[in-house]
Amino acid sequence: MPTVMHMDGQEHQLEIVARRPELVLRVDGALHIVRPITRGFQLNLIEVDGRQVRFHAASEGAVVHVRCDGRSHRVAIHDPRDARGMVRAAGDEIVAEMPGTLVAIVKAQGEEVVAGDVVVTIESMKLLMNLSAPRAGRIARIAVELNQTFDKGAILVMLEPAVET
Amino acid sequence: MRRIASKLSTSDPDFRLNDVHYRKVVAELKARQFAARSERPQRDLDRLQQQGKMLPRERVEMLLDPGTPFLELSTLAANMDYDGESPGASAITGIGIVAGREVAIHADDSSVKGGAWYPLTIKKIVRLLDIAIENRLPVVHLCDSAGGFLQQQSDLFADRHMAGRIFRNQCQLSKMGVHQLALVFGHCTAGGAYVPALSDYSVIVRGIGAVFLGGPPLVKAATGEEVGFEELGGADMHTSVSGTCDYAADTEEEAIAIGREIVAQWRRQPRWNCQRDSIEAPYYDPQELYGVIPHNSKAIFDMREVIARMVDGSRFHEYQPDYGTALVCGYANLWGWKVGIVANNGVLFSDSSLKAAHFIELCNQNETPLVFLQNITGYMVGRDYERKGITKDGAKMIMAQSCSRVPKFTVMCNASFGAGNYGMCGRAFDARMLFGWPTYQIATMGGDQAVNTLLEVKMRQMRRNGEPLDKEILARIRDETRGAYEHQLSAYFATSRIWDDGLLDPVDTRNALGMAITASMNAPLGEPGYGVFRL
C-alpha cells in the first residue's frame, strides 16, 4: 500500500520496496537505493543512488521542512491507514447495544441525514450517548417514544431503504 | 506511532460552549487554590512578622532550585472540613528540585493556628511520606508546628495511620537508605520533636527554633522547674550539648542554605531503566481540553481527544482498536517516557474488562508504567450481562491491575462510580499519584441510582410489613439522599478528604504526570506475579 507524500503542493506516491540489505524506495514508479553514511556524527548525510546528499530537516507539526541542494521543501506524509474508514457494514437501522432510555430525538421522521449525523440520544448507566446514522438516507421511523425504556438489541431508528443507483 | 486525528472542530458551537464553561470551572479552582495558599487573617501574618519568621511558602520557594517546577499536592485538603479553618490542611507538601535532586517536601503552615496538626494535616503528611517510600524520594521537613490540635486529639493520635505513622514512615525511609533533612524553624514539641530527631540530618535556627518533649509550661506544671525555651531545647543546647540537632543557623535563610548544601551531598538514587525517547510537545494544544470536556457531566466524550492533548506529538499506538471499544488502551510517550494508557469510553462490559486485563499484563511484561484516565460510571448491570460473567471479568481486570509491578498513575477526568473506580486504579489500589479534574464526581453510585435504590428497598419493606406506602417518608428519603449525594459527589469534597493528591487544571495534567512518572523511576519495580484469575 503506497503512502501519499505531499511535497511543495505536488502529490507523490511513496512505497518501501525493501528494507534489507539496503533501503529501496519506489517514488512515483522509479526505484531508488538509500544508504546511510557513517562519518563521525554527521547524521544528516545519506547516499541516494550512489550520490551523496546532505540535508537538514525540521518538523513543524505534521509538516517537515527539508533543505537540500540549496532548496527548501515542504513535505507532508499521509498514512493510508488514517484514511481507512470503519469496517462495519452500514445497515438500515440503529440498534441499541445496551438497555436504556430514549432521552432526545435530534432528527425526526422524514428528515434527511448523512452518515455520522446524530439521530437520537439515549441514557444508560448514567451516561448520555449520541447514536448516529450508519449511512446517508431519510429517517423512516423512530421506533421508541421519548423517555421510553428499551432492551438491548431493540431497533431504535429505521432508515428508508437505500435506493439502487 | 501515529498521530491521533482529532474529530473535533474548535469552531463547533458545542466545543465553544464547553470551552466557556470549563474556563469558569478552572477560574474557580484557581481562586480557591489562591485562597488556600495565600489568604490568611491579618493577625496571623502580624504574629509571624513579630516573631521574625518567614511565611511557610517563602521558605519552600527559597529551598527550591530557581526556575524548577514544584508539584504541590493536595492544595485544597480540608477545604470542606473544620468549617474551612484549616486551609490546605495547615501543611504544604509536594515534590520539587533541591540542589539538582528530586525531593519530597513537607512544610508545616505556621500561618494557620501556629501550624497545629489537624487530623487531615496528619493524613496529608503521612501521604507525602508514603509517596517518599513508594518512590524512594528523599524528604525535607520544614518544621514549625504547635503540635497536635488538641480539640481533635481522638481523631489524630491513636489509630494505625494517625500521628505515629509519620514517625514510623520516617524510620522506614531511613532503613531503606532514603535521606531525610529537618529544618527547625519553630517549636517542635512532644511528638513533633521526633520529626527532627528521626531525620538523618537537622538544622535549627537560633532564637526561634526549639525541640523538646515538653515545653516550658508543661515542665513547670509537671515538676515545678522553671526554664526558658532556649535553655530547654534551643539551637545551641541541641547542637553543642545534647546532639539532638546537627547544625545551628542564625537566620532562616542561613538554615536553608545549610540545608541545600546537605542535600547536595546525597548520592542520587539509581534510576530504574525505563524506555525514554526524545520529548515532543503534543500536536494538539492542551488548552483545547476545555472544549473537549462536555459541560453536561453525563454526556460521553471520546477519551482519544483527551489523550491527543496530553501525550508527546499526540501520537498513540492503540491496542485492539476494534474490540471492547468502551475502553481505549494503547501506548504513548509522555515527556519522553513510554506509558500504557487505559481510558474509559463508556461503561465497562465483559469484552472491555478482558481487554483491560490483557493490556495491563502486556504493560507489566514490557515494564511500561500505566496511566489510567477515569470516566467510568460502572460495570454494566443486568441479567444478560451477569449470565455472560460481567462480575468475574471485572474481577480479572481488578486482579491484573492490583497486582501490577509497574508504577501506576490515575487521573479522575469525569466520573468515578462503583466498582469501575476499583478496576481503573482508584485510591485503594496504590497509584503512585492520583489527580483529579475539578469537575470529577466520585461515589458508590450516581445520586439518582442511590435515591431509587433506597426508595425501592423502603417500599418493599413497607409492603412486607403490610403498611400503606407513606408518601411523606418516601419524599423525605428522596430529598435527604439526593442532598447528601450532591454534596458528597464533588471533587472538592473528595480532595478535602485527600482521596486524591490534588485537583488539576486539565491543561496541567501532562506536566503533573511527567513529574510523577519521573519521580517514580527512583524506585525499583515491584514483585512480579498475580493471584488466581477467575477464568
Side-chain angles (χ1 to χ4, degrees), chain B residues 311-434:
Chain B
V311 302
D312 288 11
S314 307
R315 294 176 202 283
F316 186 53
H317 174 87
E318 190 168 345
Y319 171 73
Q320 288 192 332
D322 298 323
Y323 180 75
T325 51
L327 191 77
V328 177
C329 296
Y331 298 106
N333 286 356
L334 212 154
W335 281 102
W337 300 112
K338 166 81 61 204
V339 292
I341 295 176
V342 181
N344 302 114
N345 254 11
V347 185
L348 282 160
F349 295 94
S350 277
D351 56 358
S352 30
S353 304
L354 294 175
K355 173 176 166 180
H358 194 92
F359 182 70
I360 290 166
E361 287 196 58
L362 291 178
C363 287
N364 277 284
Q365 182 196 49
N366 201 38
E367 302 190 347
T368 304
L370 281 160
V371 174
F372 293 87
L373 303 178
Q374 283 207 14
N375 180 15
I376 182 62
T377 55
Y379 287 93
M380 189 65 201
V381 296
R383 189 186 52 216
D384 286 0
Y385 302 97
E386 293 292 356
R387 289 176 69 90
K388 281 190 197 138
I390 180 72
T391 305
K392 71 173 188 176
D393 289 337
K396 291 183 192 98
M397 177 177 173
I398 295 173
M399 178 70 78
Q401 184 270 103
S402 183
C403 295
S404 284
R405 64 193 294 245
V406 295
K408 297 177 284 188
F409 306 88
T410 305
V411 182
M412 302 291 189
C413 297
N414 192 46
S416 178
F417 288 108
N421 167 284
Y422 306 152
M424 291 294 294
C425 196
R427 190 56 150 177
F429 292 85
D430 297 332
R432 294 284 182 91
M433 288 275 176
L434 188 154

Side-chain angles (χ1 to χ4, degrees), chain B residues 184-356:
Chain B
V184 181
F185 296 119
H187 292 192
C188 296
T189 318
Y194 290 112
V195 174
L198 290 169
S199 291
D200 304 324
Y201 301 83
S202 61
V203 183
I204 180 167
V205 183
R206 287 192 180 91
I208 55 171
V211 177
F212 26 56
L213 277 187
L218 189 133
V219 170
K220 181 155 190 256
T223 65
E225 184 185 4
E226 286 201 32
V227 57
F229 85 88
E230 275 284 353
E231 191 190 347
L232 185 64
D236 288 313
M237 195 289 283
H238 276 317
T239 53
S240 65
V241 180
S242 77
T244 304
C245 297
D246 305 318
Y247 308 83
D250 283 330
T251 60
E252 294 194 34
E253 288 84 346
E254 190 191 340
I256 290 168
I258 296 171
R260 286 180 50 83
E261 213 171 281
I262 292 168
V263 174
Q265 311 311 313
W266 296 347
R267 97 189 131 79
R268 293 184 164 85
Q269 289 283 332
R271 276 184 194 277
W272 158 53
N273 193 17
C274 177
Q275 184 179 330
R276 189 162 202 191
D277 295 324
S278 57
I279 297 163
E280 198 182 348
Y283 174 71
Y284 294 104
D285 187 349
Q287 293 270 344
E288 290 171 11
L289 281 171
Y290 299 145
V292 171
I293 309 159
H295 58 276
N296 177 349
S297 67
K298 273 186 174 181
I300 199 165
F301 56 99
D302 188 351
M303 208 52 105
R304 290 180 199 87
E305 301 287 353
V306 172
I307 296 169
R309 288 156 182 88
M310 201 178 278
V311 302
D312 288 11
S314 307
R315 294 176 202 283
F316 186 53
H317 174 87
E318 190 168 345
Y319 171 73
Q320 288 192 332
D322 298 323
Y323 180 75
T325 51
L327 191 77
V328 177
C329 296
Y331 298 106
N333 286 356
L334 212 154
W335 281 102
W337 300 112
K338 166 81 61 204
V339 292
I341 295 176
V342 181
N344 302 114
N345 254 11
V347 185
L348 282 160
F349 295 94
S350 277
D351 56 358
S352 30
S353 304
L354 294 175
K355 173 176 166 180

Side-chain angles (χ1 to χ4, degrees), chain A residues 61-62 79 81-82 88 97-99 123-129 152, chain B residues 2-3 283 296 298 300 346-347 349 377 379-380 385 388 417 446 449:
Chain A
D79 194 310
R81 289 173 297 180
D82 289 335
R88 279 186 209 146
E97 289 187 6
M98 57 204 289
E123 179 169 346
S124 177
M125 296 286 291
K126 308 184 277 288
L127 282 176
L128 295 175
M129 281 164 269
K152 181 186 175 185
Chain B
R2 277 189 289 159
R3 172 169 302 135
Y283 174 71
N296 177 349
K298 273 186 174 181
I300 199 165
V347 185
F349 295 94
T377 55
Y379 287 93
M380 189 65 201
Y385 302 97
K388 281 190 197 138
F417 288 108
Q449 286 72 20

Side-chain angles (χ1 to χ4, degrees), chain A residues 87-154:
Chain A
V87 281
R88 279 186 209 146
D92 290 342
E93 293 143 358
I94 296 178
V95 177
E97 289 187 6
M98 57 204 289
T101 312
L102 188 77
V103 295
I105 297 171
V106 182
K107 296 279 183 187
Q109 186 176 327
E111 279 192 73
E112 293 280 347
V113 292
V114 297
D117 273 1
V118 175
V119 183
V120 292
T121 306
I122 65 164
E123 179 169 346
S124 177
M125 296 286 291
K126 308 184 277 288
L127 282 176
L128 295 175
M129 281 164 269
N130 290 328
L131 304 185
S132 5
R135 60 166 172 81
R138 188 192 297 271
I139 309 283
R141 199 159 81 84
I142 308 283
V144 178
E145 279 181 38
L146 203 59
N147 298 322
Q148 224 176 39
T149 59
F150 50 82
D151 286 330
K152 181 186 175 185

